[in-house]
């Protein structure tokens, strides 16, 4: 038995851990955003597998010393490094409850399945989709994009599950802009189509797909004997947060009978904000949408979602069989369809519970407002940066991402300044390459950020850049 | 801000939830193993997305009423339905800590990465693998098997990421026994190879792969212009827990230069038991091994693992690039290689923490003993069932799975008896089809099960079968 010998002693230890976890979240503002893992701690984390038991309290002590201080930092109000959500205390408690229940949401007839169905139906409703639609919670949008590519592949090539892509000689081609996340290319690679099957289209000055170039590419490919099957539109590109003209893409996809998928990793939940919804017009016409709960909805990692308009096609892509998973009319093996019929995994955690708790606790309106606030903060940050006279600010980006760079700076200066800011513990931003230029990037996907945090960011990065440029150290 | 307005009030609520969760785990023996979700509860779980906030306590109350009572049941000592782990209280607390830290283990330089590397290295060491090996925590063995298929595909077809499987005209073929889990077939489907690329080989009387038939199939395929690339061996088949002759498979794979993957979803951790290790001889010669922490190691769902002997091939299969994920020498964007380079996901939870806690708290010896105890209990259950004179018992299966059937019973009787047992709440077993016969299946993957639980199972299922046969109701 792996249960505690003394439940009351374990209870005290667990409450102690919970108090620390709550303090850790409450007091995050007082700590550095990030600090590197010291070498001696790395060394302790190379110890071999323990043969003998260790008291829970002692394991916890090692955790508190060697692990807890070295979080990624994304729950901190001045973590603006990448598009990471900030989590919530309620979400952390929900995840503990899910782990205590330890349900397997791969299928069968029990509570976790109904909660996951409810969460998915909320997003069907949000986009006005019918009961024919399906969905699945997954690790994240990378997995959701892969799922969408596979369903689109089935839609284009009915025999693909049986015979594979080689036998079909179908020359499938997909289309997405150059600003698309690399996981889309990876999805086509995994699906056996190869990265060359993805036609990477140019973007306009605001990083939106060039629709004319898309039209030309599809028509040229058809003329050459290729089989166009998929358009991936972006609701929030990774570098600047651009939104492709989704309405136009939907129209073209319908005309050409192509599968229209939207990668809305962080952007799709902006649909909860009435003020931002119009920017996303057309997303509701997609055949499939991928998005994350752990980004702009602040559910603890990991939790992404794939919704598919044609639930039957979704099921046809993944449903399998085995005598050990035979469905019954009653009992625990009832409950068709199973989530395992809609994705690769037969064992799946009760990931939906933390989503259910988060959306219930805060409600759609407040979650939408938090997203809108971050967009307003991005506008504020752009103004503040420009007002220094020291930075150029990338004017595009409709959401929460701000790209900027010090005037007359080298790539090395940008990278070194970003690293020094991280090392200072004051704030975390990242760097990326935009239109050939190395730039700094602040992603305000953070419900804890205040305008004063952005003021501090501007002052800190300006000082670091000044130091670097005056000492010519890089 | 999505943080509590009143932290101390939230703290009280969180402690209340934790107490309930601990009671839920401690008192599990007093409850029915499983009960169906009542219709009125299902109805409440169809409510639309809430617009407005709900107090955390009220969300929790709904959870306690509508969700908590309807767990899958696998933490119960008499859950023997499928190969599900039982979880531990320590694992649940660890998952709460991971959610509070909210780290993203996709990459970068922070604590979660070092913990995950440590956990993976423990299993490299267990199988005697070198530092060239790699690994990744994933949702479960389905995802791990898919990862292995993709790495094997890269190994066989270096250009596959770029050009896909169609251009290569390679006619790849994989090999596995008829007792192999359906997720292996699904992995080949996802990879674009098609289910027909999997040669399904017959098994012997004990459900182990027919090695001669394998030899013949590979040679015949080569002669016909196919390109054999992968053998999947089983360390614990899903229906009866058979172990393929892994040493012979390793030998043949080496001779034929095929990738040798072992699906050890539940069986691989039996390697922790010195008594069981010899049964798995040869597994350490695999090119890749997939297994679950959430099954026989009782880590809360979900947590699986893929380890690959040739880490460079693993990385070559998945590593991608994007300016927004450029690696730095210092700062938060350091820490190469990133886990995103070894799998499809760029955002990943700190799944390793609950594994780290579980293995540290209990230690390798005790975890191995718990596995061995379950195998001894399976032998006990076989004896008890046979002693009733009412059941035939499948003699094979070397691990924790017991298949049996009432003498002179129909398929309908088997299924109905299994359902009635589940509905009674006394115990959960499942049914499957074995060598053409519908049978009952008890999987003792459970650290809480006692021999008296098995006595109660035998008495209960015997009584139900007697009732069914006497009333001829089915």
């Amino acid at each position: 038995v792996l249960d505690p010998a003394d439940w009351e002693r374990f209870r005290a230890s667990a409450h102690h851990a919970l108090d620390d976890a709550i303090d850790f979240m409450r007091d995050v503002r007082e700590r550095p955003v990030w600090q590197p893992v010291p070498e001696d701690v790395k060394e302790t984390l190379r110890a071999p597998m323990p043969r003998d038991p260790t008291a829970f309290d002692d394991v916890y002590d090692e955790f508190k010393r060697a692990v807890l201080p070295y979080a990624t930092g994304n729950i901190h109000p001045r973590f603006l490094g990448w598009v990471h959500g900030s989590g919530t205390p309620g979400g952390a408690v929900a995840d503990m409850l899910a782990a205590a229940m330890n349900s397997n949401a791969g299928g069968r007839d029990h509570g976790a399945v109904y909660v996951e169905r409810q969460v998915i139906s909320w997003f069907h409703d949000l986009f006005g989709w019918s009961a024919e639609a399906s969905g699945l919670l997954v690790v994240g949008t990378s997995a959701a994009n892969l799922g969408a590519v596979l369903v689109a592949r089935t839609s284009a090539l009915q025999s693909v599950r049986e015979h594979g892509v080689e036998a079909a000689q179908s020359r499938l081609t997909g289309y997405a802009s150059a600003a698309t996340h690399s996981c889309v290319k990876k999805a086509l690679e995994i699906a056996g189509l190869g990265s060359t099957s993805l036609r990477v289209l140019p973007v306009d000055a605001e990083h939106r797909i060039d629709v004319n170039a898309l039209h030309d590419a599809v028509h040229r490919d058809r003329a050459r004997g290729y089989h166009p099957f998929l358009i991936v539109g972006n609701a929030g590109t990774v570098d600047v947060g651009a939104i492709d003209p989704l309405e136009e893409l939907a129209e073209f996809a319908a005309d050409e009978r192509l599968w229209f998928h939207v990668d809305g990793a962080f952007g799709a939940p902006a649909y909860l904000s009435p003020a931002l919804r119009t920017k996303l017009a057309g997303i509701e016409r997609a055949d499939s949408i991928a998005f994350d709960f752990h980004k702009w909805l602040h559910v603890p990692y990991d939790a992404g979602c794939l919704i598919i308009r044609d639930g039957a096609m979704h099921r046809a892509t993944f449903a399998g069989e085995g005598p050990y998973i035979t469905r019954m009319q009653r009992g625990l093996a009832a409950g068709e369809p199973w989530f395992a019929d809609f994705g690769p995994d037969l064992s799946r955690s009760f990931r939906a519970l933390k989503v259910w708790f988060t959306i219930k606790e805060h409600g759609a309106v407040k979650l939408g407002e938090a997203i809108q606030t971050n967009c307003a903060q991005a506008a504020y940050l752009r103004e503040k940066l420009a007002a220094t006279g020291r930075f150029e600010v990338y004017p595009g980006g409709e959401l929460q991402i701000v790209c900027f760079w010090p005037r007359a700076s080298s790539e090395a200066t940008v990278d070194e300044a970003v690293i020094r800011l991280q090392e200072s513990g004051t704030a975390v931003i990242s760097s990326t390459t935009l239109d050939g230029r190395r730039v700094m990037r602040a992603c305000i996907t953070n419900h804890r950020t205040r305008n004063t945090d952005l003021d501090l960011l501007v002052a800190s990065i300006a000082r670091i850049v000044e130091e670097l440029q005056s000492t010519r150290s890089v």
Side-chain angles (χ1 to χ4, degrees), chain A:
Chain A
V1 180
L2 305 179
D3 284 329
D6 180 342
W7 279 93
E8 290 315 302
R9 186 171 167 172
F10 174 79
R11 190 187 298 272
S13 305
H15 281 292
H16 177 69
L18 176 61
D19 271 327
D20 284 348
I22 291 172
D23 293 348
F24 182 82
M25 293 183 278
R26 184 194 57 187
D27 302 335
V28 60
R29 184 173 281 281
E30 314 308 319
R31 291 194 306 274
V33 183
W34 171 82
Q35 55 182 327
V37 184
E39 285 305 320
D40 64 317
V41 171
K42 288 183 189 171
E43 189 54 39
T44 69
L45 294 175
R46 286 189 203 107
M49 190 189 300
R51 283 185 52 77
D52 299 317
T54 303
F56 182 83
D57 287 342
D58 294 334
V59 180
Y60 180 72
D61 284 346
E62 185 184 355
F63 161 77
K64 200 168 164 183
R65 197 173 56 244
V67 182
L68 184 63
Y70 309 108
T72 316
N74 46 307
I75 76 167
H76 194 288
R78 286 189 301 278
F79 184 96
L80 311 165
W82 294 269
V83 183
H84 287 22
S86 322
T88 70
V93 170
D95 228 6
M96 179 272 293
L97 295 168
M101 290 180 72
N102 201 29
S103 288
N104 178 346
R108 309 197 168 93
D109 198 7
H110 54 99
V113 168
Y114 294 92
V115 172
E116 185 162 342
R117 285 184 189 153
Q118 183 178 26
V119 165
I120 290 164
S121 75
W122 289 345
F123 288 84
H124 291 161
D125 292 348
L126 180 67
F127 296 113
W129 289 11
S130 80
E132 305 296 307
S134 58
L136 186 77
L137 266 58
V138 294
V139 166
T141 292
S142 296
N145 282 338
L146 172 59
V149 164
L150 294 169
V151 181
R153 194 186 69 174
T154 306
S155 177
L157 215 58
Q158 306 273 334
S159 69
V160 71
R161 282 188 71 175
E162 200 174 350
H163 298 295
V165 295
E166 184 177 320
Q169 295 294 311
S170 63
R171 307 178 83 192
L172 294 178
T173 47
Y175 303 81
S177 87
T180 301
H181 194 281
S182 59
C183 69
V184 170
K185 189 176 80 170
K186 214 189 241 192
L188 289 163
E189 291 170 0
I190 291 172
L193 303 174
S195 56
T196 52
S197 71
L198 182 67
R199 309 311 196 201
V200 179
L201 300 160
V203 292
D204 65 16
E206 298 186 355
H207 283 233
R208 294 177 303 204
I209 190 170
D210 179 335
V211 178
N212 286 330
L214 168 67
H215 291 195
D216 291 348
V218 168
H219 296 144
R220 196 167 50 235
D221 279 335
R222 284 206 202 282
R224 290 177 184 174
Y226 288 98
H227 179 176
F229 82 114
L230 169 71
I231 296 174
V232 178
N234 290 293
T237 58
V238 57
D239 273 326
V240 305
I243 301 167
D244 283 332
L246 303 176
E247 197 78 77
E248 287 177 58
L249 293 183
E251 198 67 33
F252 180 66
D255 287 348
E256 297 283 333
R257 296 172 179 268
L258 305 179
W259 188 277
F260 177 39
H261 173 66
V262 173
D263 177 341
F266 59 89
Y271 208 83
L272 291 173
S273 160
L276 295 170
R277 184 171 296 184
T278 52
K279 291 181 191 284
L280 296 164
I283 192 172
E284 60 287 328
R285 294 179 64 187
D287 293 300
S288 51
I289 304 174
F291 63 97
D292 282 318
F293 296 110
H294 57 220
K295 288 193 171 88
W296 229 349
L297 293 172
H298 304 295
V299 171
Y301 280 88
D302 44 32
C305 190
L306 171 64
I307 54 173
I308 302 260
R309 181 190 297 282
D310 179 351
M313 190 64 73
H314 191 184
R315 196 171 179 182
T317 302
F318 289 106
E321 53 190 27
Y324 42 91
I325 49 171
T326 302
R327 320 301 160 88
M328 297 289 157
Q329 291 300 311
R330 295 166 15 244
L332 182 48
E336 280 231 272
W338 291 6
F339 281 110
D341 298 337
F342 297 100
D345 303 304
L346 191 57
S347 293
R348 306 167 64 244
S349 71
F350 189 3
R351 199 172 262 105
L353 188 63
K354 58 190 175 185
V355 180
W356 189 86
F357 257 88
T358 302
I359 293 177
K360 281 189 170 267
E361 185 183 352
H362 302 291
V365 172
K366 192 170 151 196
L367 290 167
E369 284 169 357
I371 290 171
Q372 205 188 326
T373 297
N374 284 161
C375 296
Q377 289 173 324
Y380 175 85
L381 177 59
R382 281 192 197 97
E383 279 174 31
K384 284 281 165 178
L385 285 163
T388 63
R390 186 179 294 279
F391 295 99
E392 306 249 19
V393 182
Y394 174 76
E398 308 189 68
L399 297 170
Q400 88 289 23
I401 301 178
V402 178
C403 290
F404 59 101
W405 59 97
R407 290 181 193 281
S409 61
S410 66
E411 178 164 334
T413 301
V414 167
D415 285 345
E416 179 66 19
V418 165
I419 288 173
R420 289 199 187 180
L421 181 66
Q422 293 169 359
E423 289 176 334
S424 76
T426 309
V428 165
I429 61 172
S430 59
S431 51
T432 189
T433 300
L434 209 62
D435 307 329
R437 178 194 298 278
R438 198 78 189 151
V439 303
M440 298 168 172
R441 174 166 165 264
C443 309
I444 317 175
T445 319
N446 193 322
H447 64 82
R448 295 190 179 97
T449 306
R450 302 172 188 159
N451 283 359
T452 49
D453 291 312
L454 303 174
D455 297 342
L456 183 54
L457 164 65
V458 173
S460 304
I461 193 71
R463 194 181 56 246
I464 290 170
V465 168
E466 188 176 349
E467 283 165 12
L468 281 172
Q469 289 182 332
S470 66
T471 61
R472 300 176 184 279
S473 65
V474 285

